[in-house]
């Protein structure tokens, strides 16, 4: 009875505060919607010569650096709105990566909103309906709460390169979008305003391109971000990637997370015949692949911890030798508002890829930016545009900060630790999610991007901690257990509060108090007058 009472108290607290938070958010949304102006007609023509976009003033509205998930989706979105777009991508061949292969349902909803949902078709993408969590021989299945959505809405997993190529092809079908292969070497700056880019085209020729707005989407290895933000990149771990062939996952159409030692192992289907395995290795160094240390590590340390159904396929993948590694980066968004330029995608903001939230954040950011730019017919007033777009950094926070915080917190909770309090937190998290109902639906809706509410995340995180303390103290508390419980709460606070601080407490929880939240676009009349004044 005591357990039931404790759980009921937690549930009532969580639901009550979430209901209050939703009411406040709705009021803020209603206030902001009253300030949104009617969309003006955008220019819908573009001059092209010999199939290549001219690199002179007035030809292009927006330069996009990079044509990955963020760049390609942004090019299609802004091009469809009538903007003249010049995309410069280092390599237009199909990418081959071991991350960016799982799109959460929240991300799929953004694809629909952007008109890009058909990009997951014809690439052998697999539908994902939730997760299976494994720990110490036990497992529990966590389903996405999709009951209120159309039957087509679910997660998708696929080969990253196939997905990107589909989006590039979709963008290229728009007449006013021009994709060019080239390497951007620098941003062109004049009196503190970015005027365009300098780049080398496919033949190595030095070129310049100019536009009122340059959007940098050149990925996690960006060499341009330093002039536009304060990059504090952390590398907590590395992923070791394998592909298992012709094997069945214990739970079909679910991502699998094994709470292994020292850190999680992931499995998910990326085609009808292939399962991606990602082994997390803490730190920035991994065993050497060339001298056989990696194969030995995977066979002796990792293999004994994976589900028996996958053991033979895992060993076969290791023996095949196609092992790849990728450092996992996290970087809070810390932009310098710069006239004429904007950062997007992994060049701007990264989180641990454990939860597969990166593409959802990028697509959500594109929706926010599209809605901000739609009322504007003129992008040439760089300083005014930059001030207006400061609201982008606030409006993106509910989705971005929820997914970022959850990714960082879950990685730390799911990783093993010699600290008894951390062990109890890890076990409490597994048991809490195994309870089902609101205890699993709430956290999974946060992870999936279906409920981007930072307060809900904090409430569930500390509900797990309180649940863990309750398990320690019931039925008979002891001084030792009480001490471990106190350290569990302290450990939980030490995990989540630094992440929240990096995200920005005010923007994350009280965005309506930020002046830029209500910043409306400059009217067409004011824009025209400013343009005329600048000409005269």
């Amino acid at each position: 009875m005591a357990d039931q009472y404790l759980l009921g108290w937690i549930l009532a607290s969580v639901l009550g505060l979430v209901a209050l938070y939703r009411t406040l958010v709705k009021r803020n949304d209603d206030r902001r919607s009253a300030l949104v102006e009617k969309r003006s007609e955008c220019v819908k023509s573009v001059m092209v010569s010999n199939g290549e976009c001219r690199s002179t003033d007035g030809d292009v509205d927006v330069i996009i650096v990079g044509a990955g998930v963020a760049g390609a989706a942004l090019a299609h979105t802004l091009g469809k709105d009538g903007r003249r777009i010049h995309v410069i991508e280092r390599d237009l061949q199909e990418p081959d990566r071991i991350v960016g292969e799982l799109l959460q349902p929240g991300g799929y909803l953004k694809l629909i909103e952007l008109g890009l949902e058909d990009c997951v078709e014809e690439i052998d993408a697999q539908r994902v309906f939730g997760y299976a969590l494994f720990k110490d021989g036990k497992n529990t299945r966590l389903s996405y709460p999709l009951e209120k959505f159309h039957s087509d809405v679910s997660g998708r997993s696929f080969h990253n390169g196939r997905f990107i190529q589909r989006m590039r092809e979709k963008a290229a079908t728009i007449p006013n979008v021009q994709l060019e292969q080239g390497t951007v070497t620098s941003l062109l700056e004049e009196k503190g305003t970015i005027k365009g880019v300098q780049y080398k085209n496919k033949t190595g020729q030095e070129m310049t391109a100019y536009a009122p707005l340059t959007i940098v989407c050149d990925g996690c290895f960006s060499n341009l971000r330093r002039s536009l933000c304060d990059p504090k990149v952390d590398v907590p771990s590395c992923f070791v990637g394998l592909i298992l062939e012709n094997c069945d996952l214990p739970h079909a159409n679910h991502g699998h997370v094994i709470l292994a030692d020292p850190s999680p192992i992931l499995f998910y289907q990326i085609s009808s015949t292939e399962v991606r395995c990602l082994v997390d290795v803490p730190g920035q160094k991994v065993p050497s692949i060339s001298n056989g240390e990696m194969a030995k590590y995977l066979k002796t340390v990792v293999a004994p911890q994976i589900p028996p159904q996958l053991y033979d396929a895992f060993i076969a993948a290791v023996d095949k030798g196609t092992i790849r590694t990728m450092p996992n980066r996290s970087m809070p968004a810390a932009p310098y508002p710069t006239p004429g330029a904007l950062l997007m995608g992994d060049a701007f903001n990264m989180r641990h890829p454990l939860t597969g939230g990166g593409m959802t954040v990028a697509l959500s950011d594109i929706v926010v930016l599209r809605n901000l730019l739609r009322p504007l017919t003129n992008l040439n007033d760089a300083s005014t545009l930059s001030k207006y777009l400061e609201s982008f950094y606030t409006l993106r926070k509910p989705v971005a900060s929820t997914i970022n915080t959850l990714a960082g917190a879950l990685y730390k909770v799911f990783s093993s630790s010699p600290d008894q309090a951390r062990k109890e937190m890890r076990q409490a998290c597994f048991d809490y999610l195994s309870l089902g109902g609101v205890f699993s639906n709430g956290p999974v809706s946060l992870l999936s991007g279906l409920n981007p509410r930072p307060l809900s995340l904090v409430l569930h995180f500390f509900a797990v901690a309180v649940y863990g303390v309750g398990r320690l103290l019931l039925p008979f508390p002891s001084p030792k257990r009480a001490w471990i419980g106190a350290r569990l709460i302290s450990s939980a606070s030490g995990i989540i509060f630094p992440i929240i601080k990096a995200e920005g407490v005010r923007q994350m929880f009280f965005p309506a108090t930020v002046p830029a939240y209500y910043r409306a676009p400059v009217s067409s009349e004011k824009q025209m007058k400013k343009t005329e004044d600048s000409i005269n």
Side-chain angles (χ1 to χ4, degrees):
M1 286 295 294
D3 269 337
Q4 293 176 352
Y5 179 80
L6 175 64
L7 294 177
W9 178 82
I10 294 170
L11 177 59
S13 300
V14 170
L15 295 180
L17 289 172
V18 169
L20 175 61
Y21 181 69
R22 284 178 176 171
T23 300
L24 293 174
V25 169
K26 186 177 186 304
R27 289 178 183 173
N28 291 332
D29 289 344
D30 290 343
R31 290 173 63 192
R32 187 177 188 281
S33 63
L35 298 172
V36 178
E37 297 185 4
K38 186 178 179 181
R39 178 189 172 193
S40 300
E41 181 71 11
C42 292
V43 179
K44 292 184 173 140
S45 61
V46 64
M47 296 179 64
V48 294
S49 176
N50 297 326
E52 292 190 5
C53 192
R54 296 180 185 176
S55 299
T56 58
D57 286 315
D59 272 347
V60 178
D61 296 314
V62 181
I63 294 170
I64 297 176
V65 182
V69 170
L74 184 62
H76 173 270
T77 300
L78 298 185
K80 193 171 62 173
D81 275 2
R83 305 290 181 187
R84 299 167 296 179
I85 310 297
H86 184 185
V87 185
I88 306 172
E89 162 59 37
R90 183 182 59 83
D91 186 359
L92 288 173
Q93 298 297 313
E94 183 176 307
D96 184 14
R97 303 180 66 202
I98 64 171
V99 292
E101 297 173 316
L102 177 63
L103 181 66
Q104 297 286 4
Y108 182 74
L109 288 173
K110 298 300 178 183
L111 271 190
I112 294 173
E113 195 170 347
L114 296 171
L116 290 166
E117 67 272 20
D118 57 345
C119 291
V120 297
E121 298 173 0
E122 300 177 7
I123 59 172
D124 199 15
Q126 305 297 300
R127 300 188 69 178
V128 181
F129 297 111
Y131 282 87
L133 201 59
F134 292 74
K135 185 179 186 298
D136 300 331
K138 298 180 180 179
N139 69 86
T140 185
R141 190 164 65 178
L142 313 172
S143 298
Y144 294 136
L146 300 172
E147 297 82 7
K148 297 180 181 179
F149 299 95
H150 187 273
S151 60
D152 186 54
V153 176
S154 66
R156 294 292 195 282
S157 54
F158 38 67
H159 281 271
N160 172 268
R162 296 176 186 174
F163 179 56
I164 288 176
Q165 288 301 89
R166 286 280 288 157
M167 288 208 291
R168 288 174 178 174
E169 292 166 4
K170 190 81 180 286
T173 61
I174 300 176
N176 44 304
V177 173
Q178 179 65 34
L179 271 70
E180 180 181 1
Q181 185 163 306
T183 302
V184 175
T185 55
S186 63
L187 300 173
L188 299 176
E189 183 179 342
E190 182 181 316
K191 297 180 180 180
T193 298
I194 302 301
K195 297 293 187 178
V197 299
Q198 185 168 2
Y199 68 102
K200 291 183 179 180
N201 65 13
K202 193 174 182 180
T203 63
Q205 183 181 2
E206 290 280 357
M207 304 286 287
T208 55
Y210 299 92
L213 180 62
T214 298
I215 303 178
V216 176
C217 308
D218 56 346
C220 61
F221 299 104
S222 173
N223 63 345
L224 302 175
R225 66 161 68 102
R226 288 192 175 277
S227 57
L228 300 175
C229 75
D230 180 21
K232 296 178 180 178
V233 181
D234 181 36
V235 184
S237 66
C238 296
F239 267 157
V240 178
L242 300 163
I243 289 183
L244 282 57
E245 297 179 339
N246 299 311
C247 66
D248 295 325
L249 291 169
H251 299 276
N253 299 105
H254 283 68
H256 290 54
V257 182
I258 291 84
L259 303 189
D261 185 4
S263 51
I265 305 167
L266 308 180
F267 293 92
Y268 49 91
Q269 199 96 18
I270 58 172
S271 75
S272 54
T273 61
E274 298 165 302
V275 170
R276 168 66 71 194
C277 171
L278 293 174
V279 178
D280 185 85
V281 178
Q284 299 183 24
K285 292 185 178 180
V286 297
S288 172
I289 296 175
S290 59
N291 66 10
E293 288 182 4
M294 177 63 77
K296 181 180 178 181
Y297 175 82
L298 294 174
K299 287 183 177 181
T300 59
V301 177
V302 177
Q305 302 186 74
I306 67 174
Q309 302 96 314
L310 300 172
Y311 183 87
D312 290 341
F314 180 82
I315 296 298
V318 174
D319 290 338
K320 190 175 181 180
T322 52
I323 304 170
R324 301 175 59 190
T325 63
M326 174 78 178
N328 294 323
R329 293 173 168 82
S330 63
M331 185 184 78
Y336 303 138
T338 306
L342 199 68
L343 277 168
M344 295 283 286
D346 284 349
F348 170 51
N349 184 204
M350 294 180 284
R351 77 291 309 149
H352 196 285
L354 172 69
T355 59
M359 290 188 288
T360 300
V361 171
L363 295 170
S364 175
D365 284 354
I366 290 168
V367 171
V368 172
L369 182 62
R370 177 200 65 182
N371 294 343
L372 285 171
L373 291 179
R374 269 185 169 174
L376 306 181
T377 58
N378 183 359
L379 303 180
N380 286 291
D381 188 341
S383 60
T384 302
L385 178 64
S386 178
K387 189 175 182 180
Y388 168 57
L389 289 181
E390 285 180 18
S391 59
F392 166 76
Y393 303 118
T394 301
L395 296 173
R396 69 181 294 272
K397 275 295 177 179
V399 174
S401 61
T402 300
I403 292 174
N404 293 345
T405 305
L406 183 61
L410 270 188
Y411 177 70
K412 291 183 177 180
V413 171
F414 281 178
S415 296
S416 65
S417 170
D419 183 0
Q420 186 61 36
R422 288 282 296 274
K423 288 181 180 178
E424 291 292 339
M425 183 70 177
R426 191 189 199 201
Q427 185 64 51
C429 188
F430 180 85
D431 292 342
Y432 182 89
L433 293 171
S434 299
L435 292 172
V438 68
F439 302 103
S440 63
N441 285 345
V444 172
S445 66
L446 291 164
L447 182 149
S448 62
L450 297 172
N451 176 30
R453 302 295 189 202
L455 183 59
S456 295
L457 166 60
V458 174
L459 290 174
H460 276 289
F461 189 81
F462 280 103
V464 170
V466 172
Y467 176 75
V469 173
R471 292 171 65 255
L472 284 167
L473 299 183
L474 297 174
F476 303 109
S478 67
K480 180 180 179 181
R481 286 174 171 266
W483 172 242
I484 293 173
R487 288 200 297 113
L488 191 157
I489 295 292
S490 175
S491 176
S493 301
I495 287 173
I496 198 166
F497 286 147
I499 303 174
I500 291 174
K501 182 180 178 182
E503 288 293 318
V505 176
R506 186 181 179 188
Q507 285 186 319
M508 186 170 174
F509 293 100
F510 311 106
T513 68
V514 180
Y517 185 85
Y518 300 106
R519 191 161 290 156
V522 179
S523 67
S524 299
E525 291 78 9
K526 288 182 179 179
Q527 280 191 308
M528 289 176 65
K529 187 177 185 305
K530 285 192 174 187
T531 302
E532 289 173 359
D533 290 344
S534 65
I535 293 173
N536 296 331

